[in-house]
Amino acid sequence: MKRAVYPGSFDPMTYGHLDIIRRSAEMFDELIVAVLVNNEKNALFSVEERVKILQKATEGMANVTVDSFSGLLINYAVEKNLHVAVRGLRAITDFEYELQMSQTNRMLSDGKLDTIYLNTSLQYSYLSSSSVKEIAAFGGDVSNCVPDYVAALLQEKFAGRRK
Ligand code: ADP
């Protein structure tokens, strides 16, 4: 059985992430979308909220599950017996960081964890969680970037912050 993990911050999930999830779910028998519990990054959404958003978005995808992990991806992969990580590439600017990370993971795992990359569908190549947050923070329209329920949650967060 071919299994893979798609790790990321997903703060929040965008249509770009969802596109990578859909496409990789077709390539693997089982896909685990794993939200990284990252204490250094100043996240807008809690891990529980990010997991819930992803669960809702992947409701109809029978071979996709959502989980969270902290610490090194390689430790999570060993624990779950996973050997393939999926990542998305938007532009050449993503490449350097991703290459370094995948080589580090190969080194740490003795070659047991490989990373594959899907390049973004062109219509999502400009999308990032940070730009979505920036647009929402200023009350802009994010309906082309995230599902409606995520847009509503963003609105709630920033309305609370403006008070
Ligand atoms: P990170 O895990 O680096 O904090 P994200 O959670 O934003 O970043 O993204 C997780 C993965 O999804 C990364 O591989 C990232 O390149 C990819 N990704 C983010 N946005 C898009 C997009 N619009 N199209 C395709 N892939 C994307």
Side-chain angles (χ1 to χ4, degrees), residues 86-105:
V86 174
R87 297 280 290 175
L89 283 180
R90 282 162 292 195
I92 199 75
T93 40
D94 280 341
F95 182 74
E96 218 167 312
Y97 169 72
E98 292 291 342
L99 183 67
Q100 190 184 18
M101 208 161 57
S102 105
Q103 284 168 337
T104 307
N105 281 331

Side-chain angles (χ1 to χ4, degrees), residues 6-12 14-17 19-20 23 36 38 41 86-90 94 97-98 101 117-121 124-130:
Y6 177 26
S9 307
F10 306 104
D11 183 40
T14 68
Y15 281 140
H17 295 126
D19 175 57
I20 301 289
R23 287 159 58 202
L36 172 65
N38 190 340
K41 275 197 184 177
V86 174
R87 297 280 290 175
L89 283 180
R90 282 162 292 195
D94 280 341
Y97 169 72
E98 292 291 342
M101 208 161 57
Y117 298 98
L118 295 185
N119 40 18
T120 177
S121 295
Y124 303 127
S125 60
Y126 63 92
L127 262 187
S128 71
S129 298
S130 18

